[in-house]
C-alpha cells in the first residue's frame, strides 16, 4: 500500500479488499494521520479515517490517464452542482490520479450507505426520486461537459451474429455440463439459449433501425443499484463513473429501470414503479415520451441479443457474473410477452 503515501493523507493501519466492481480492484483503507496533523474532529476521535482506494484495470479506452483525469473533473463538477457524487482526493503532486508501476490509482472518501433495494422493496416515492436524480445528472452533464454533436447512427445488434454466438455458447455450455454434471447452471444456460434462439427467429423483423435512437448526450454509463449508496431514505452517493461517455440519453434511463425495478429471481419488472420513475425522469431531464418509447424498443432488442454473462463464464472462464444470468434471462422472456405494457409504463 505504498501508493497511499502518494496522497499524503496518513499511514495505513488496516486494508481490506472488497468485492465491489467487476472491472477494477477496490480496497477499504483505514488511515492514521500523523500526530501533528490530527485535529479535534477526526472520524473516530483517534485520528483515524476510512478511505476507498481504487485501482483501474480496464484499459479499453476508459482507463487512460487522460480519460480518468477528465472523469475525476466531471465528478467534482457534479458535486459542486449539488449532486451526490464523491470526488477523489488530490495527491501531493496536485493530481487525482497516481501512476505506480504501470497501474493507476485514485483515493476516495468513504461514504456510509447501502445499495438501494430493488423491485417492490423500494417505495414508489423512492422510485420517482431515482428518476429525478438521473434526470438531473443527465441535465447537469450536458451543461458541464463538452458539447455533443450526436455521433449517430447507433447500430443495433445483428440477429445473424447473435445466432452464431448462441451456437458457440451452446457448445461451451454442453461441454462444461459433461465435465461437471452436478452444476445445474449449464443446463439452465442451454435451456435459455435454445429459448432465445426461438425468440430471435420470431422477432427478427423488429430489429431497430440505426437511426431510430433517441438523442445522445453524456451519460453515467453504468447507473444501477450496486453503483448507488442510500442512507436515511436518500441517495448518498453515485459511484463508479468508469463508463462516463456519450450514448443515447433515454436508453440509460430505460436500462437502469430494468435493473432497479425487477424481481431479483424472476427478473419480472414492477410496472407501477417504472411509471413513477419514468415520469420523474422526463420532468427532470426534458425527455419526451416518444424518446422513451424509442429507447424501450432499442434496449429490449439489445437485451434480446445480449449474452455477456455467458461469455464471461465460457469464453473468459470468469463466473462472477453468472449469478445475474437467471433473472436477466427470465426478464427478457417476460418483457417480450408483455412488450406493450412495458412500453406504456415508461411513456404514460
Amino acid at each position: 500500500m505504498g501508493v497511499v503515501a502518494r496522497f499524503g493523507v496518513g499511514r495505513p493501519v488496516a486494508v481490506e479488499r472488497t468485492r465491489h466492481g467487476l472491472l477494477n480492484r477496490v480496497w477499504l483503507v483505514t488511515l492514521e494521520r500523523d500526530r501533528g496533523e490530527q485535529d479535534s474532529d477526526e472520524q473516530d476521535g483517534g485520528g483515524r479515517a476510512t478511505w476507498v482506494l481504487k485501482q483501474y484495470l480496464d484499459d479499453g479506452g476508459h482507463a487512460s490517464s487522460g480519460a480518468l483525469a477528465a472523469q475525476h473533473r466531471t465528478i467534482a463538477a457534479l458535486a459542486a452542482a449539488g449532486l451526490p457524487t464523491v470526488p477523489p482526493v488530490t495527491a501531493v503532486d496536485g493530481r487525482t490520479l497516481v501512476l505506480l508501476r504501470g497501474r493507476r490509482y485514485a483515493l476516495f472518501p468513504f461514504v456510509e450507505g447501502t445499495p438501494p433495494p430493488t423491485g417492490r422493496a423500494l417505495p414508489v416515492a423512492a422510485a420517482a426520486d431515482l428518476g429525478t436524480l438521473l434526470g438531473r445528472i443527465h441535465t447537469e452533464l450536458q451543461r458541464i461537459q463538452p458539447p455533443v454533436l450526436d455521433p449517430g447512427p447507433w447500430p443495433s445488434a445483428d440477429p445473424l451474429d447473435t445466432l452464431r454466438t448462441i451456437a458457440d455458447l451452446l457448445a461451451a455450455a454442453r461441454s462444461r455440463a459433461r465435465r461437471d454434471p452436478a452444476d445445474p447452471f449449464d443446463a439452465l444456460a442451454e435451456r435459455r439459449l435454445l429459448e432465445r434462439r426461438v425468440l430471435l427467429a420470431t422477432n427478427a423483423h423488429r430489429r431497430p433501425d440505426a437511426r431510430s435512437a433517441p438523442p445522445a448526450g453524456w451519460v453515467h454509463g453504468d447507473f444501477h443499484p450496486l453503483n448507488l449508496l442510500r442512507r436515511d431514505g436518500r441517495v448518498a452517493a453515485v459511484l463508479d463513473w468508469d463508463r462516463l461517455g456519450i450514448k443515447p440519453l433515454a436508453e440509460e434511463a430505460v436500462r437502469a429501470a430494468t435493473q432497479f425495478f425487477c424481481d431479483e429471481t424472476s427478473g419480472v419488472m414492477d410496472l407501477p414503479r417504472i411509471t413513477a420513475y419514468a415520469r420523474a425522469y422526463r420532468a427532470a431531464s426534458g425527455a419526451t415520451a416518444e424518446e422513451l418509447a424509442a429507447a424501450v424498443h432499442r434496449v429490449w432488442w439489445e437485451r434480446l441479443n445480449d449474452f455477456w454473462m455467458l461469455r464471461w463464464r465460457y469464453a473468459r472462464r470468469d463466473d462472477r457474473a453468472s449469478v445475474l444470468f437467471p433473472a436477466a434471462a427470465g426478464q427478457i422472456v417476460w418483457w417480450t410477452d408483455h412488450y406493450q405494457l412495458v412500453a406504456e409504463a415508461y411513456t404514460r
Side-chain angles (χ1 to χ4, degrees), residues 29-46:
V29 183
T30 301
L31 299 176
E32 184 174 62
R33 302 187 72 175
D34 295 335
R35 289 185 179 180
E37 296 176 341
Q38 294 175 13
D39 52 42
S40 60
D41 62 351
E42 286 290 346
Q43 287 185 19
D44 63 3

Side-chain angles (χ1 to χ4, degrees), residues 4-304:
V4 175
R6 304 274 288 275
F7 292 96
V9 292
R11 179 176 60 85
V13 295
V15 178
E16 177 186 358
R17 173 78 181 272
T18 76
R19 299 181 63 184
H20 183 75
L22 292 175
L23 297 177
N24 302 300
R25 293 175 182 156
V26 179
W27 294 267
L28 290 180
V29 183
T30 301
L31 299 176
E32 184 174 62
R33 302 187 72 175
D34 295 335
R35 289 185 179 180
E37 296 176 341
Q38 294 175 13
D39 52 42
S40 60
D41 62 351
E42 286 290 346
Q43 287 185 19
D44 63 3
R48 292 187 177 185
T50 301
W51 303 81
V52 177
L53 180 68
K54 185 171 185 176
Q55 181 188 47
Y56 296 92
L57 299 181
D58 174 30
D59 59 358
H62 294 276
S64 66
S65 294
L68 291 174
Q71 178 196 124
H72 292 170
R73 289 193 296 271
T74 299
I75 296 170
L78 290 171
L83 287 162
T85 60
V86 186
V89 175
T90 301
V92 294
D93 64 359
R95 302 178 183 180
T96 57
L97 195 67
V98 164
L99 183 65
L100 182 66
R101 291 192 287 274
R103 297 295 192 187
R104 295 172 176 85
Y105 298 85
L107 189 70
F108 296 83
F110 175 76
V111 176
E112 289 280 358
T114 57
T118 57
R120 295 183 179 179
L122 189 70
V124 173
D129 288 344
L130 285 175
T132 298
L133 174 61
L134 184 59
R136 288 186 59 207
I137 287 172
H138 282 177
T139 299
E140 195 62 29
L141 282 174
Q142 310 327 303
R143 185 184 71 81
I144 65 177
Q145 294 290 90
V148 173
L149 297 177
D150 196 333
W154 296 91
S156 57
D158 185 336
L160 294 179
D161 290 339
T162 304
L163 289 173
R164 286 189 282 271
T165 297
I166 288 175
D168 292 341
L169 291 172
L170 274 171
R174 288 164 176 166
S175 174
R176 185 155 171 170
R178 287 192 295 270
R179 295 195 306 272
D180 187 9
D183 188 345
F185 184 94
D186 302 299
L188 171 67
E190 179 178 355
R191 178 168 67 84
R192 289 302 197 184
L193 286 164
L194 293 172
E195 177 182 58
R196 195 77 63 88
R197 190 162 65 185
V198 173
L199 282 178
L200 274 172
T202 55
N203 289 280
H205 63 287
R206 301 173 66 184
R207 179 184 180 184
D209 182 84
R211 297 188 180 276
S212 68
W218 290 92
V219 299
H220 175 278
D222 206 14
F223 194 82
H224 63 70
L226 293 181
N227 281 340
L228 270 64
L229 292 177
R230 198 162 175 259
R231 185 178 64 245
D232 299 329
R234 301 181 64 84
V235 174
V238 180
L239 308 173
D240 286 354
W241 291 78
D242 302 329
R243 289 292 179 256
L244 175 70
I246 298 171
K247 295 285 185 181
L249 291 160
E251 289 185 22
E252 173 159 80
V254 169
R255 197 174 291 114
T258 66
Q259 296 172 286
F260 280 105
F261 313 117
C262 69
D263 183 89
E264 293 183 351
T265 302
S266 67
V268 172
M269 290 183 271
D270 186 281
L271 299 185
R273 283 165 176 77
I274 286 179
T275 294
Y277 160 91
R279 284 175 177 169
Y281 172 77
R282 296 201 309 270
S285 68
T288 66
E290 291 74 20
E291 290 168 359
L292 266 292
V296 167
H297 187 65
R298 290 179 59 85
V299 175
W300 165 78
W301 180 260
E302 168 193 298
R303 295 289 176 78
L304 192 63

